C-alpha cells in the first residue's frame, strides 16, 4: 500500500527526524560559528531538539533560523503545509 502524507504526520518522531535530515544532511552545524562540535541539550515533547555548541557556547534548536523558529504550530502541521505547497511533480517519496 502506498504511504500518504497523513501516515507520516501521525508520527511526530518521524517528522522531526525527516526535518533534521533535510535541514542538516551532513549532521548538525552551529548556525553561529559553523562548528560540528555540538551537544544535545534537550529533546522537546514534539521530538525537536535543542543544542549547544561546544565551541561558541551558543544555544540553538532544530528550527532556529527557519520560519518555524518561534512558531507554536506542531511540526506535523508544517509537514502538511509543505506537502500541499509542493510542485505536483514532487512525490511523497522525494520528500
Amino acid at each position: 500500500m502506498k504511504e500518504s502524507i497523513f501516515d507520516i504526520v501521525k508520527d511526530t518522531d518521524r517528522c522531526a527526524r525527516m526535518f533534521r535530515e533535510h535541514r542538516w544532511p551532513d549532521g548538525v552545524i552551529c548556525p553561529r560559528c559553523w562548528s560540528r562540535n555540538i551537544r544535545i541539550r534537550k529533546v522537546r515533547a514534539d521530538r525537536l531538539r535543542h543544542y549547544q555548541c561546544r565551541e561558541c557556547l551558543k544555544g540553538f534548536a532544530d528550527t532556529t533560523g527557519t520560519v518555524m523558529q518561534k512558531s507554536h504550530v506542531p511540526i506535523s502541521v508544517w509537514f502538511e503545509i509543505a506537502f500541499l505547497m509542493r510542485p505536483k511533480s514532487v512525490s511523497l517519496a522525494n520528500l
Side-chain angles (χ1 to χ4, degrees), residues 3-4 6 10 22 27 29-31 34-35 39-40 50 57-58 60-61 63 68 73 79 93:
E3 187 174 45
S4 78
F6 304 106
K10 288 179 193 172
H22 285 304
I29 299 171
C30 175
W34 303 102
S35 172
R39 75 176 183 94
I40 298 172
H50 287 261
L57 304 178
K58 169 105 170 131
F60 62 97
T63 58
M68 298 177 279
V73 176
F79 261 75

Side-chain angles (χ1 to χ4, degrees), residues 79-94:
F79 261 75
E80 287 183 63
I81 292 167
F83 180 76
L84 293 171
M85 292 179 66
R86 83 198 187 291
K88 294 297 179 195
S89 61
V90 175
S91 71
L92 184 59
N94 295 334

Side-chain angles (χ1 to χ4, degrees), residues 7 12-13 23-24 31 37 41 45 60 63-64 69 73-74 76 78-80 84 86 88 95:
D7 295 326
T12 306
D13 287 332
R23 172 129 197 234
W24 291 304
N37 191 1
R41 221 173 50 190
F60 62 97
T63 58
T64 298
Q69 183 170 343
V73 176
S76 58
W78 283 106
F79 261 75
E80 287 183 63
L84 293 171
R86 83 198 187 291
K88 294 297 179 195
L95 292 179

